[in-house]
Amino acid sequence: MPHHPVVESVRSGDISIITLSNPPVNTLGRPARRALLVELERAENDEAVSAVVIAGRNNFSAGADLAEFDSGEGLAEPTLHLTLTGYLDTMTKPTVAAIDGVALGGGLELALACSARVAHPRAKLGLPETTLGFMPGAGGTQRLPRAVGIEAALDLIVTGRSISSAEAETLGLLEAVDPDPVGAATQLARRLVSAAKPRLRDRAIAEPLAEAFVDSAKRFAARNPKASAGVKAALEALRSAVTKPFDEALADELEFFVRLAGEPEARAARYRFLSDRAAVRLRPVENVPDVTTAAVIGAGTMGRGIALALLSASIEVTLIDTDADRVNAGIAAMTADLDRAVARMRLTEGDRDAQLKILSSGVGLEKAASADLVIEAVFENLDVKRDVFRALSDVVRPDTILASNTSSLDLNLIAQTAAHPERVVGMHFFSPANIMRLVEVVDGGDTSPATLAAAVKVAKRLRKLPVVAQVGPGFIGNRIFDQYIRQAQLLLREGVSPQQIDSALERWGMAMGPFRVLDLVGNDISWMARKAAGGAGEDVAWQIADALGENGWFGRKSGSGWYRYGDDGSAGPNPDLTELLASFTGPQISDDEIVRRCILALVIEASHVLADRVAATSADIDTVMVNGYGFPARRGGPWFFAELTGWELVQLLVKRWRERTGDSFWSTADLPLTEKNAS
Ligand code: T1G
């Protein structure tokens, strides 16, 4: 692909039109900022130029390059954003931003430093920094209130939400909305040559009670445990905006921004943003087949969810099962789900009808004959799945992709029964499959690159988050999560209660404690899986969990498990379990120790998953654990958390637990010795 210059400039008479051309979204990385500054200086010093329009190819700008911050020098030059916006403040010639696509973060701050702004009706504008754990750092907290007033500025900066051009114009953020933003900006620039407008930095903030508004917002944030450090710092910068001269307040903003940008929460947010997108990036593959029709085999919970996800992407679906009652029940459940979405205004009636129109069903695999993609979601039993793939091979086209939703079985053993194993792939959805974004796309030994790419492409079309896994027990997520659950089981044997373990991990940030998860999923599932695999053998970790299975304490579905459930769904201690646990005692273990043991168990198994090359990168593992297993995004992921903790300390803790418990699981064999992201 030809290398585009990052910034191009052309002349329209006496107007210099400077266009950012840094695909895909014109991020303002260091080269772009430098090139833009050079072009602005050139225009300023060119006597033939009387005004400047700044535009962007496809998008105005998505703001700072989030990858730059953690690239070593990242924070060395945050001021270059300010140098750019500061230079615009000093230019004698009018500058007009011509906005199309997005103007976000530093992109909007660049536009705010221009004399005026014009946007296409479809443009989106916003300062999302507080959603990324930090705050605007190139004058946004100072110029936005001067453009739209303190109340709207508080709303936009605290929420980080994007607004339409129409809303932006109403707020006073834009001088005009025009389907030809560059043309309109060029005309406006000409008008400004003879009728200059005061720059935002020279405008007062209109609201006389601005300080009271900011202080009220600060008090609310102080009371709100969910208010992030970024929001609180942005409010401090806004307080400076309403109480100090522009340049002093700008210096405050920079100080708060630089301090925040290096904080774990901001680093984790940037890491999560980039990792989620890196996970789906595959090497370019030729001849990736398109999927417009699909068949789902199995009308149970998973099959229904998968079918709904396919419908939502306008992929025709045939829901198939061996039994007409199950098929009808599946269709009825799916229809009810779509009706509920309409009732909750999440879906229009038209969209629901359009989806139902491309949904069909039937008994017998021959109904899958014309499908481009078949996703098997039958009972998690190897023989059953092998029979399905063997039978499908006689029905489908030779180029049909066959995907198994298996969560734990060896895909290669399934693929062996297919006529074209090169077209067999795993697509492990997470329940509920129409809601959960994560899909583990399993790359079987015979899976062709085009088949793998097609599965990733379908997952992205379903607005899912596909992560490629190689074949291995439990692939990535289940394998790692099992060791976390095992650690919780072992803590029970050391006298810790399920309630303390759940509470400690939930306070730390896990969406749900391990025992609440087990009761939700059903203790019978893992109990039967262990029995099918020949039992836990010498591993005493599962003895208590097996006892729950033997007693029928399956969890929510049976009314009692690790907790006892009331008819109103409330959960309390299970007295039968309390009696069973009474014989397990030990010294008091702190919440912190519980968290370290369980979270670092994730890290140890992640190190083995990496060593076995089941996952391509540690970032992929973090993407799986955050998007499929309730690991807190604000901590980045297990591996990111261990990096921040420091591998030397991790190694020390693991060795201590090995000595203390004698458990060979505590191995440092695959752990790094030092952290990569040391800063
Ligand atoms: N930095 C680095 N890469 C970015 C990026 C960014 N800000 N925005 C997008 N990308 C990459 C992304 O990784 C993906 O890469 C490709 O662009 C398409 O993105 C100084 C400090 C703009 C609405 O928070 O919200 O400015 O996979 O898949 O769904 O105060 O990207 O193609 O290789 O998301 O069409 C503030 C973040 C930064 C905007 C487009 N800005 N980006 O969505 O595509 S902080 C943001 C988005 C800042 C200042 C502060 C979205 C989008 P690849 P995509 P999309």
Side-chain angles (χ1 to χ4, degrees):
M1 187 164 101
H3 175 71
H4 289 284
V6 166
V7 172
E8 298 151 358
S9 77
V10 296
R11 288 279 292 283
S12 166
D14 59 344
I15 307 295
S16 172
I17 299 174
I18 301 174
T19 303
L20 272 166
S21 176
N22 183 19
V25 291
N26 287 333
T27 47
L28 289 169
R30 198 169 288 111
R33 297 200 298 269
R34 286 213 179 100
L36 192 48
L37 198 53
V38 165
E39 286 305 320
L40 288 171
E41 285 167 342
R42 184 174 297 155
E44 175 70 1
N45 299 322
D46 182 340
E47 288 173 6
V49 171
S50 55
V52 175
V53 169
I54 303 177
R57 193 169 302 289
N58 300 324
N59 288 286
F60 184 72
S61 167
D65 177 350
L66 289 167
E68 183 181 273
F69 286 91
D70 304 302
S71 60
E73 321 155 54
L75 283 174
E77 287 183 272
T79 52
L80 194 53
H81 277 284
L82 290 175
T83 311
L84 196 54
T85 50
Y87 182 75
L88 281 160
D89 273 346
T90 63
M91 286 179 70
T92 60
K93 299 176 181 177
T95 51
V96 182
I99 299 169
D100 199 350
V102 296
L104 296 172
L108 180 56
E109 290 173 302
L110 173 65
L112 283 167
C114 292
S115 317
R117 289 149 292 281
V118 176
H120 190 287
R122 66 191 164 208
K124 293 283 180 211
L125 305 91
L127 292 179
E129 289 88 339
T130 53
T131 66
L132 286 161
F134 52 4
M135 59 176 278
T141 61
Q142 308 305 313
R143 290 189 179 88
L144 190 62
R146 287 171 166 81
V148 302
I150 193 63
E151 288 175 273
L154 278 164
D155 166 32
L156 294 178
I157 290 172
V158 167
T159 62
R161 71 186 178 93
S162 296
I163 58 175
S164 66
S165 303
E167 185 179 356
E169 185 179 33
T170 306
L171 290 176
L173 185 50
L174 300 172
E175 272 65 34
V177 175
D178 192 299
D180 172 14
V182 172
T186 305
Q187 289 168 14
L188 177 54
R190 279 209 178 84
R191 290 200 300 276
L192 291 178
V193 172
S194 51
K197 281 167 63 82
R199 296 201 185 285
L200 285 171
R201 59 164 294 137
D202 299 324
R203 268 196 227 167
I205 293 176
E207 173 53 63
L209 293 178
E211 193 173 339
F213 276 105
V214 175
D215 287 343
S216 168
K218 281 180 61 183
R219 284 193 295 275
F220 179 80
R223 290 195 305 272
N224 177 1
K226 289 203 180 337
S228 69
V231 163
K232 290 174 181 169
L235 289 171
E236 287 304 329
L238 281 161
R239 190 170 203 291
S240 298
V242 299
T243 55
K244 294 182 180 179
F246 185 88
D247 288 324
E248 272 182 54
L250 200 61
D252 285 355
E253 178 194 81
L254 177 62
E255 181 199 331
F256 302 154
F257 171 78
V258 171
R259 185 183 333 130
L260 257 183
E263 288 296 304
E265 192 159 331
R267 291 174 60 184
R270 294 193 292 272
Y271 170 76
R272 285 274 21 100
F273 179 91
L274 295 168
S275 300
D276 279 0
R277 287 159 180 79
V280 302
R281 216 171 291 144
L282 282 185
R283 285 184 309 284
V285 175
E286 300 290 319
N287 310 320
V288 177
D290 249 341
V291 170
T292 54
T293 60
V296 174
I297 315 297
T301 306
M302 285 307 286
R304 297 166 191 174
I306 294 168
L308 283 168
L310 290 161
L311 289 178
S312 73
S314 306
I315 294 177
E316 283 180 43
V317 178
T318 306
L319 185 66
I320 297 171
D321 204 299
T322 52
D323 169 292
D325 289 345
R326 281 172 62 83
V327 168
N328 297 336
I331 294 294
M334 288 174 65
T335 306
D337 197 286
L338 292 171
D339 289 343
R340 261 194 307 280
V342 170
R344 289 178 189 154
M345 318 279 279
R346 283 211 314 266
L347 196 66
T348 66
E349 287 187 12
D351 286 345
R352 175 204 51 202
D353 298 345
Q355 291 191 30
L356 288 172
K357 207 165 163 197
I358 58 173
L359 171 61
S360 57
S361 62
V363 174
L365 295 178
E366 59 282 357
K367 299 285 183 190
S370 62
D372 300 326
L373 164 70
V374 178
I375 301 179
E376 165 272 311
V378 300
F379 182 59
E380 189 71 359
N381 172 285
L382 183 58
D383 293 337
V384 172
K385 291 184 186 290
R386 284 164 61 90
D387 291 346
V388 166
F389 276 71
R390 185 176 295 111
L392 277 172
S393 298
D394 299 333
V395 169
V396 298
R397 304 189 318 250
D399 65 332
T400 297
I401 292 166
L402 301 181
S404 170
N405 173 56
T406 182
S407 59
S408 62
L409 299 172
D410 183 336
L411 181 73
N412 295 331
L413 296 179
I414 296 171
Q416 279 171 358
T417 59
H420 291 278
E422 73 282 3
R423 289 210 170 80
V424 173
V425 66
M427 291 186 80
H428 173 212
F429 289 84
F430 288 73
S431 186
N434 51 317
I435 307 292
M436 292 291 279
R437 287 190 66 212
L438 183 66
V439 179
E440 282 181 323
V441 178
V442 184
D443 183 6
D446 294 317
T447 306
S448 71
T451 299
L452 185 72
V456 169
K457 192 172 155 189
V458 165
K460 286 170 79 173
R461 195 168 147 200
L462 303 183
R463 289 191 302 283
K464 298 287 182 188
L465 190 47
V467 176
V468 174
Q470 298 305 316
V471 174
F475 307 126
I476 299 172
N478 280 349
R479 170 175 171 180
I480 290 171
F481 200 66
D482 274 356
Q483 288 304 335
Y484 162 86
I485 296 289
R486 179 175 178 275
Q487 215 41 242
Q489 301 286 342
L490 288 171
L491 284 163
L492 293 178
R493 301 179 64 83
E494 295 176 41
V496 188
S497 73
Q499 289 79 358
Q500 184 189 355
I501 295 167
D502 279 350
S503 303
L505 286 159
E506 286 166 6
R507 262 198 301 280
W508 185 81
M510 293 301 285
M512 196 184 274
F515 296 103
R516 273 190 252 281
V517 170
L518 289 171
D519 269 355
L520 186 66
V521 170
N523 299 309
D524 49 332
I525 306 289
S526 46
W527 172 54
M528 288 195 289
R530 277 194 301 278
K531 286 208 301 182
E538 292 74 51
D539 190 350
V540 298
W542 306 103
Q543 283 176 358
I544 297 171
D546 287 346
L548 271 78
E550 283 138 24
N551 285 300
W553 303 339
F554 295 158
R556 282 188 175 280
K557 63 171 80 169
S558 68
S560 77
W562 299 102
Y563 295 89
R564 173 67 56 83
Y565 296 91
D567 295 340
D568 59 357
S570 60
N574 172 358
D576 300 328
L577 176 69
T578 305
E579 193 181 326
L580 180 77
L581 294 176
S583 60
F584 295 100
T585 58
Q588 176 67 23
I589 295 182
S590 73
D591 286 3
D592 288 346
E593 180 73 355
I594 290 170
V595 169
R596 280 191 289 265
R597 284 259 302 261
C598 292
I599 298 304
L600 291 186
L602 294 171
V603 177
I604 293 286
E605 195 57 30
S607 71
H608 301 322
V609 165
L610 268 182
D612 295 347
R613 301 187 187 288
V614 170
T617 65
S618 54
D620 279 2
I621 290 174
D622 283 345
T623 294
V624 167
M625 300 318 290
V626 166
N627 291 284
Y629 294 83
F631 193 95
R634 65 183 172 80
R635 294 189 188 269
W639 201 266
F640 187 88
F641 174 71
E643 284 263 353
L644 286 193
T645 302
W647 291 111
E648 289 86 352
L649 176 54
V650 171
Q651 299 248 356
L652 283 174
L653 287 166
V654 171
K655 285 171 185 156
R656 183 175 78 178
W657 291 324
R658 174 67 175 267
E659 285 151 21
R660 188 180 294 172
T661 65
D663 185 350
S664 60
F665 168 74
W666 295 115
S667 154
T668 59
D670 293 324
L671 288 178
L673 291 172
T674 57
E675 50 268 28
K676 175 171 55 69
N677 292 345
S679 67

